[in-house]
Amino acid sequence: MVSIDFQTCRNVLALVRRPRLSIMGKRRESTIYMDLALQSYMSYGLGSGLGGKTVSELTCYNDRAPGAEGGNCPNSALLACAQCSLVKYCSGRCQRQHWQKHRIECESSLNKADWQPHWIKENRVPYFYATTSRAESKNTSSNGLWGRLPAYNILQLSYNEGLAQAVYKDIKLCFTAASDIRNLVETLNSLPKGYQGTCDVLLNEADTVSANRNLVILYILMTAGPSIDEAAELAMHLMYSSRLTANMAAYLSRCVHMIYGDSARCGDMTFQRTFPTRGRGKLYSAQPAMAIKRPVEMFLSRYELGRAMRRMKDTMFDGLKVDERHKLLSRLEPPHRLAHVYFWKTGVLAPFSLDLKPFTQPNRLAFTPQGSWLGKSEDLSPLHGWDIAKVQATGLRNGVDPTGDMFGCLFFHVKQELREFISRVKDFHINIHHTQYDPRLLSKGVSIGVLPSFSDASFDRIDLGDLGDRLGIKECLEDWGLLLNRENVHSCVVAHSKRWIDSQPALSRVPLSSPQSVLDFLRLRCRNIPSLEPRLKKMLEQGTYSPAILRLIESLDAFVDYGPSFQEYLASHNVLAACGGIGLQQRKRNDVHPKVRPTYLSYISELCA
């Protein structure tokens, strides 16, 4: 559904048509400006707010305001609840009117400082699935639905080519295993202002569902249609929410038909499409025709919202995973605990105070054709996928208190990142080549010139992601290392590994793996510091698996140097020898990303020509 203010459009048309242009090229340019101006005033009703409006600020949380439409107070939110910091009101009067309803949330046991996880209340040893997750199948991706490692920029031009030199440089990037678009967004958003070159990106993912989720989201972001604000807000929900508004669901269905048409029924061996973007670039897609059948069936399925939400909650609130959920909650401040549980129940990434009644349709990008949720029980928080400090800063700029409503902060942060991405696509010459192939076959196809834009097989950056964990680091480097741009001294392959720790017996002594060794170490060190003895004794009252001890263990891992052990791992798999054979060497100092991600014990390696 498209609504438009016709008087405003007349004014815009008058402004655009005012100059009398006699040159055909200028007339065409004027028409383009007119189209862009019209787009900025058109509304497809794809926003999260009432009437399909986009959310640019927090409004009063009071939904019991006398005389207000639907009872929702329309005023801007100014005063935060002092007890939870999750919601805001326009005045003390609205807060008092709404207290009887809000007190149920505000006085929840989750919002109390003395909340304890179940294993403490039941006096038992907890079961954490994370301790066994490293034994997952070698060929299974562990990225989950939302990604469990913070998004990163693989260019980092200021530490490599330099921003000034990069303004006019053509850049070629490759993401070999992109289960989502976060790293792509972070990277393209780092291009320098006024970028004059051409940026070609190869975005590949072997999993058919993940690859086509990416394609639909990129189509919405990159092609003309809704305003930048609406496209960014819709794409954000497609990435992180399990429910959509009716307008969002209808537009999603329309986009699926525009992308795939009747391709699922045609006899072609390959699905190939080219879409014009808001700027000078193109969005290309190439994948086996058979690969799109299941995703299209998913995206156009007909199950009801109730069924989808039950399936999501069955996974999210799996009784066997209660200790893992409580482990996460035990690390959080009380309001953040409340916010997480609210997100698990509603399935919508939005400010806590947003009215979610319009979200009446399932997000069919997040469910199977039968309505089963694509996420896993370990997909506990989309916050893991972004830099928390930046998320908090964005929230503050948009009037959200990060001490309470972290998901409100994330809502505005992801939307801002996607808005910037759309602006870059509109202003710069960016081509994205979306593919869905086995990375080993794709590398051979690139090397023989199957993709014309990459016929010279010279990428400035190649992000292998966690392919090394699934296919073997040595094998991945042999496939992709030869495709680096040898004329660019800053070109490199970036890869991260989490499962390398399994093959290192020596690492059984590190804090993450041995809570008891941490306690013994603390007791030994605190014997000569009398002032610490009472605090340590209090910390140990709940035993080895007290929340305080678990938090301490995770903090200590940030100070452990895993470099030597990781080098032993690489040597044991003949990785460094293989690098020498194809003319690569490991950087002594990473110029793209810090070596270690302590939270997940993931080690980043960079190899250059």
Side-chain angles (χ1 to χ4, degrees), residues 406-424:
M406 278 298 295
F407 287 95
C409 295
L410 184 62
F411 170 91
F412 285 110
H413 181 73
V414 176
K415 180 179 172 180
Q416 173 184 289
E417 291 295 308
L418 296 179
R419 279 180 54 87
E420 181 64 24
F421 174 78
I422 297 172
S423 297
R424 298 303 176 97

Side-chain angles (χ1 to χ4, degrees), residues 448-461:
I448 62 175
V450 170
L451 298 177
S453 296
F454 306 103
S455 58
D456 56 353
S458 56
F459 293 102
D460 296 287
R461 304 285 192 280

Side-chain angles (χ1 to χ4, degrees), residues 336-515:
H336 293 166
R337 288 198 293 262
L338 194 60
H340 272 76
V341 174
Y342 182 75
F343 173 71
W344 296 340
K345 289 180 178 178
T346 63
V348 179
L349 178 59
F352 194 93
S353 58
L354 187 71
D355 183 3
L356 300 183
K357 287 194 291 289
F359 287 78
T360 59
Q361 299 295 317
N363 173 11
R364 300 186 191 277
L365 269 60
F367 296 90
T368 68
Q370 294 75 37
S372 295
W373 192 50
L374 291 177
K376 303 175 183 178
S377 53
E378 54 264 39
D379 286 323
L380 293 175
S381 177
L383 286 164
H384 292 156
W386 299 90
D387 185 320
I388 295 297
K390 292 180 179 178
V391 170
Q392 291 174 319
T394 305
L396 279 173
R397 287 195 297 271
N398 287 274
V400 183
D401 188 347
T403 63
D405 191 6
M406 278 298 295
F407 287 95
C409 295
L410 184 62
F411 170 91
F412 285 110
H413 181 73
V414 176
K415 180 179 172 180
Q416 173 184 289
E417 291 295 308
L418 296 179
R419 279 180 54 87
E420 181 64 24
F421 174 78
I422 297 172
S423 297
R424 298 303 176 97
V425 168
K426 182 170 70 72
D427 296 337
F428 302 159
H429 192 164
I430 296 174
N431 300 307
I432 295 183
H433 306 257
H434 168 273
T435 58
Q436 186 277 308
Y437 291 107
D438 183 303
R440 292 164 293 192
L441 296 177
L442 181 62
S443 65
K444 293 175 175 58
V446 172
S447 64
I448 62 175
V450 170
L451 298 177
S453 296
F454 306 103
S455 58
D456 56 353
S458 56
F459 293 102
D460 296 287
R461 304 285 192 280
I462 298 176
D463 181 16
L464 293 179
D466 67 344
L467 269 185
D469 285 342
R470 291 183 269 164
L471 306 177
I473 298 179
K474 176 176 175 289
E475 291 76 10
C476 290
L477 292 176
E478 289 173 344
D479 287 337
W480 290 96
L482 293 173
L483 304 182
L484 275 181
N485 181 2
R486 305 285 165 153
E487 297 181 1
N488 180 4
V489 297
H490 302 285
S491 63
C492 71
V493 176
V494 182
H496 66 79
S497 173
K498 290 186 290 182
R499 294 180 187 155
W500 64 276
I501 192 174
D502 293 331
S503 63
Q504 300 296 304
L507 290 179
S508 63
R509 296 189 294 271
V510 303
L512 185 66
S513 306
S514 181

Side-chain angles (χ1 to χ4, degrees), residues 156-427:
Q156 294 291 355
L157 292 170
S158 58
Y159 297 105
N160 293 281
E161 289 87 347
L163 293 173
Q165 290 81 356
V167 169
Y168 302 100
K169 178 179 173 59
D170 291 342
I171 296 173
K172 293 187 178 182
L173 309 173
C174 178
F175 299 86
T176 62
S179 59
D180 56 50
I181 64 169
R182 291 174 302 119
N183 290 348
L184 171 68
V185 169
E186 286 284 293
T187 300
L188 295 187
N189 285 357
S190 74
L191 289 172
K193 298 291 184 182
Y195 177 65
Q196 299 297 310
T198 299
C199 182
D200 281 286
V201 182
L202 177 57
L203 186 79
N204 182 66
E205 169 57 35
D207 180 75
T208 59
V209 172
S210 298
N212 284 279
R213 275 170 51 92
N214 289 345
L215 177 58
V216 172
I217 293 170
L218 285 172
Y219 178 87
I220 289 170
L221 291 171
M222 297 181 67
T223 60
S227 67
I228 291 177
D229 212 40
E230 284 190 309
E233 201 158 308
L234 171 59
M236 184 273 304
H237 283 299
L238 293 176
M239 292 171 68
Y240 292 112
S241 295
S242 298
R243 294 157 53 191
L244 304 174
T245 66
N247 283 352
M248 291 178 184
Y251 188 75
L252 171 62
S253 178
R254 172 187 168 187
C255 289
V256 170
H257 285 290
M258 293 293 290
I259 295 169
Y260 300 100
D262 59 356
S263 300
R265 295 185 295 273
C266 71
D268 295 339
M269 295 293 293
T270 304
F271 169 83
Q272 291 184 321
R273 289 289 185 274
T274 301
F275 306 104
T277 68
R278 299 171 187 256
R280 290 171 286 163
K282 296 284 192 297
L283 170 62
Y284 303 94
S285 181
Q287 48 187 315
M290 289 295 294
I292 69 171
K293 289 191 175 182
R294 181 168 181 259
V296 171
E297 183 184 1
M298 279 178 48
F299 304 157
L300 299 178
S301 51
R302 295 297 177 190
Y303 51 85
E304 298 296 326
L305 176 65
R307 179 178 185 176
M309 295 304 294
R310 285 193 298 274
R311 296 288 182 86
M312 185 201 80
K313 291 178 181 179
D314 287 344
T315 304
M316 188 68 80
F317 292 98
D318 184 352
L320 297 177
K321 309 290 187 176
V322 63
D323 287 346
E324 192 61 38
R325 292 194 299 276
H326 282 205
K327 181 183 177 183
L328 170 65
L329 295 177
S330 68
R331 299 198 300 261
L332 305 175
E333 295 295 324
H336 293 166
R337 288 198 293 262
L338 194 60
H340 272 76
V341 174
Y342 182 75
F343 173 71
W344 296 340
K345 289 180 178 178
T346 63
V348 179
L349 178 59
F352 194 93
S353 58
L354 187 71
D355 183 3
L356 300 183
K357 287 194 291 289
F359 287 78
T360 59
Q361 299 295 317
N363 173 11
R364 300 186 191 277
L365 269 60
F367 296 90
T368 68
Q370 294 75 37
S372 295
W373 192 50
L374 291 177
K376 303 175 183 178
S377 53
E378 54 264 39
D379 286 323
L380 293 175
S381 177
L383 286 164
H384 292 156
W386 299 90
D387 185 320
I388 295 297
K390 292 180 179 178
V391 170
Q392 291 174 319
T394 305
L396 279 173
R397 287 195 297 271
N398 287 274
V400 183
D401 188 347
T403 63
D405 191 6
M406 278 298 295
F407 287 95
C409 295
L410 184 62
F411 170 91
F412 285 110
H413 181 73
V414 176
K415 180 179 172 180
Q416 173 184 289
E417 291 295 308
L418 296 179
R419 279 180 54 87
E420 181 64 24
F421 174 78
I422 297 172
S423 297
R424 298 303 176 97
V425 168
K426 182 170 70 72
D427 296 337

